[in-house]
Amino acid sequence: MAELRFSNLSKQFEGSARPALAAVDASIASGEFIALLGPSGCGKTTLLRLTAGFEKPSAGRISLGGEVMADETHFVPAEAREIGIVFQSYALWPHKTVAQNVSFPLEVRRVSRAERDRRVAEALALTGLRDFAARMPAQLSGGQRQRVALARCLVFEPRAMLLDEPLANLDLALRSSMQEVFRAFHRRIGATMLYVTHDQGEALALADRIAVMESGRIRQFAAPEVLYREPADCFVAGFVGDGAVIPVRATGESMPDGTIIEVLGQRHAVRARCAAPSHVSIRPENVVIRDSGPLRGRVVGQTYLGGRFRLQVELGGETLVAYATRRARLGEALGLSIEDAWAFHDPESETLMARALAHA
Ligand SMILES: Nc1ncnc2c1ncn2[C@@H]1O[C@H](COP(=O)(O)OP(=O)(O)OP(=O)(O)O)[C@@H](O)[C@H]1O
Ligand SMILES: [Mg+2]
């Protein structure tokens, strides 16, 4: 399975004011499971369609295993890229059986009958469809159809697999069991996977690394725990995971692995990689409820999550999120301290704020 590389990749659709993709740079290692995560319209499907060869880039380059798939002078057509694609709508042939659907990519590639039978049997076994080989698509559930689409894709041993919200049409229980199928499938095959979702739980659960996209750009490309613990900017901090993102004042005082900031009227030690952060991401587990804590907040909202309560605590015009083991009263005053939060510098957000202030 091949390394996939995007260099300065842009796509501007005709008649559209903003580019769907703006100078995307990313490198995906062979066998990596990558999730593309971001709000509707941020360019996820466009990036998949360019990779598949269904669209031409306006600028930049896509290469697979060191071979150029598309740039200003080259364009390898979709059918020659040996990339597998699974969409949200399963796109199965309605008049072919499950086995015939799965066999089709091999027929197109003129694989011999005996080899075809062997590989179809293997793909059906891998996706748990052995007993469904003779069924028609209409006789299958949504999850089973999606597994046929997956089997049809893996049967020709693609160089990379692209999945565009493959579980979006399935109910919650089926979605989590299908996540298990994808994970097991990836472990067995070791395919390079590019998996589009706007479900962050799915992305965090499945991916080796997640590319968080916004307005045609990749905001941060990192392992799930890094995105959560060390978001690069306000967008990522707010989009991935729970908690508050608050502007801070840097003091310039540094500590090992961090710095001192002023926020909510107090000085706090925070983790940081820059000397002068502009914002802090305070996750629920960074808010410790303790009578002796330096901060005082008021409970303004509460949700039971099973096993714990999610509290919204208001102080100094900001709302923090905290976890509690017991039910709180609305309006109750709590002592809090902030521990192990992450501060970062987001110049763009500062510019936006400065602009907003200038217009106020
Ligand atoms: N064929 C097209 N012509 C013009 N504009 C397009 C075309 N395809 C996509 N776009 C625009 O490009 C942007 C990115 O679209 P894209 O489908 O990649 O978003 P997405 O991240 O997949 O969103 P969603 O989560 O809703 O599927 C959007 O603004 C969309 O309107
Ligand atoms: Mg899409």
Side-chain angles (χ1 to χ4, degrees):
M1 290 286 169
E3 181 196 48
L4 184 57
R5 191 187 289 270
F6 306 118
S7 315
N8 196 31
L9 187 65
S10 299
K11 179 69 184 178
Q12 174 87 49
F13 287 106
E14 242 170 77
S16 157
R18 282 190 316 154
L21 286 179
V24 167
D25 271 302
S27 200
I28 296 163
S30 180
E32 256 194 310
F33 195 135
I34 299 299
L36 297 180
L37 179 68
S40 187
C42 70
K44 304 180 297 293
T45 296
T46 302
L47 185 57
L48 282 203
R49 290 179 57 79
L50 284 166
T51 308
F54 299 153
E55 302 275 359
K56 287 189 176 167
S58 310
R61 179 189 312 132
I62 301 171
S63 57
L64 184 60
E67 257 178 82
V68 175
M69 295 289 118
D71 65 9
E72 302 90 79
T73 50
H74 294 73
F75 185 79
V76 177
E79 60 279 9
R81 292 193 186 188
E82 293 292 298
I83 289 176
I85 299 152
V86 178
F87 291 114
Q88 179 183 124
S89 61
Y90 322 110
L92 303 179
W93 304 98
H95 305 301
K96 290 182 191 287
T97 64
V98 167
Q100 287 164 345
N101 263 283
V102 175
S103 177
F104 188 72
L106 300 178
E107 286 164 37
V108 173
R109 288 172 177 77
R110 304 194 182 286
V111 173
S112 74
R113 179 67 196 260
E115 175 68 5
R116 239 165 40 213
D117 289 349
R118 189 186 67 73
R119 274 158 72 170
V120 168
E122 192 181 65
L124 292 180
L126 243 175
T127 45
L129 289 169
R130 222 182 328 222
D131 298 337
F132 299 89
R135 293 253 193 118
M136 304 305 285
Q139 300 169 308
L140 299 174
S141 74
Q144 289 160 348
R145 280 179 216 180
Q146 194 55 285
R147 281 186 280 158
V148 178
L150 196 61
R152 186 180 54 183
C153 178
L154 67 93
V155 76
F156 69 93
E157 295 167 3
R159 305 163 80 181
M161 281 188 57
L162 312 178
L163 303 106
D164 197 351
E165 308 211 30
L167 305 182
N169 285 337
L170 306 181
D171 69 39
L172 209 62
L174 193 54
R175 231 186 278 177
S176 67
S177 81
M178 280 301 290
Q179 281 176 22
E180 202 39 62
V181 171
F182 283 127
R183 205 178 289 125
F185 166 73
H186 182 247
R187 262 199 309 268
R188 274 285 295 276
I189 302 294
T192 305
M193 310 260 268
L194 208 50
Y195 187 106
V196 165
T197 178
H198 46 244
D199 178 339
Q200 58 163 294
E202 205 166 283
L204 292 168
L206 285 172
D208 297 320
R209 286 194 298 155
I210 300 174
V212 181
M213 295 183 63
E214 192 258 344
S215 299
R217 288 180 301 160
I218 295 183
R219 290 292 197 137
Q220 191 171 4
F221 191 10
E225 58 277 21
V226 175
L227 282 185
Y228 186 83
R229 262 181 74 78
E230 300 177 358
D233 61 26
C234 292
F235 177 80
V236 176
F239 193 74
V240 178
D242 199 2
V245 184
I246 305 177
V248 304
R249 204 180 73 76
T251 65
E253 292 170 51
S254 65
M255 306 184 318
D257 302 325
T259 183
I260 309 283
I261 55 164
E262 277 180 29
V263 65
L264 303 166
Q266 298 273 342
R267 288 157 57 85
H268 297 272
V270 290
R271 287 178 292 118
R273 216 171 287 125
C274 65
S278 60
H279 291 80
V280 64
S281 158
I282 306 175
R283 300 294 188 194
E285 55 276 14
N286 303 140
V287 181
V288 179
I289 301 172
R290 174 189 299 143
D291 284 343
S292 61
L295 301 170
R296 276 275 168 283
R298 220 165 42 84
V299 178
V300 295
Q302 170 163 246
T303 318
Y304 185 52
L305 299 178
R308 62 185 174 183
F309 295 86
R310 178 184 183 274
L311 305 184
Q312 285 166 280
V313 184
E314 205 260 341
L315 65 164
E318 302 286 351
T319 304
L320 300 183
V321 179
Y323 292 143
T325 48
R326 64 162 185 87
R327 187 177 285 280
R329 265 181 304 106
L330 283 189
E332 184 177 338
L334 294 178
L336 306 169
S337 62
I338 292 173
E339 293 177 9
D340 202 34
W342 166 254
F344 55 88
H345 185 68
D346 186 340
E348 194 170 317
S349 163
E350 272 184 352
T351 321
L352 289 178
M353 252 190 310
R355 230 180 277 150
L357 287 174
H359 289 285

